[in-house]
Amino acid sequence: EDTKGKIEELQQRLQTLETIFDLASKEQRIEGIEKELESPDVWGNEKGQQLAQELAELKKEASSFKELKTKIADVKELEGLM
């Protein structure tokens, strides 16, 4: 019972962090940058490199957050099997 409560608390904290972290906006920005980078014109100047760097950072942040969310869900599922 105590473990279940701790897992639920973690999920609630993660949900709060998702709001603070603004994952939805980051994912929208990732899509926008990817569309911008499809244009060959953007690569003719420094903007392309800056966008590529921003994209890499955003993807890393979003990926880390999603991985944490998945791990917590996995722990909850495992706890339910016990």
Side-chain angles (χ1 to χ4, degrees), residues 53-81:
Q53 183 177 358
E54 181 183 357
L55 179 62
E57 290 171 8
L58 287 170
K59 282 187 170 185
K60 183 179 178 183
E61 291 173 13
S63 175
S64 296
F65 191 85
K66 288 178 184 178
E67 185 179 334
L68 179 59
K69 193 173 183 177
T70 299
K71 286 181 179 183
I72 292 173
D74 290 348
V75 168
K76 183 177 182 178
E77 185 176 330
L78 286 172
E79 194 277 331
L81 297 174

Side-chain angles (χ1 to χ4, degrees), residues 3-62:
T3 303
K4 185 176 182 178
K6 288 180 180 181
I7 293 170
E8 288 177 6
E9 182 182 338
L10 277 174
Q11 284 185 307
Q12 289 174 354
R13 286 182 181 185
L14 188 62
Q15 190 171 14
T16 300
L17 286 174
E18 186 172 347
T19 303
I20 294 168
F21 182 70
D22 202 4
L23 184 61
S25 290
K26 289 186 187 305
E27 290 177 332
Q28 287 177 345
R29 180 65 181 145
I30 287 170
E31 289 178 19
I33 292 173
E34 287 175 337
K35 286 180 183 176
E36 283 186 72
L37 291 177
E38 289 175 2
S39 170
D41 298 338
V42 80
W43 292 105
N45 56 42
E46 199 174 303
K47 184 178 181 182
Q49 292 175 353
Q50 291 172 343
L51 286 172
Q53 183 177 358
E54 181 183 357
L55 179 62
E57 290 171 8
L58 287 170
K59 282 187 170 185
K60 183 179 178 183
E61 291 173 13

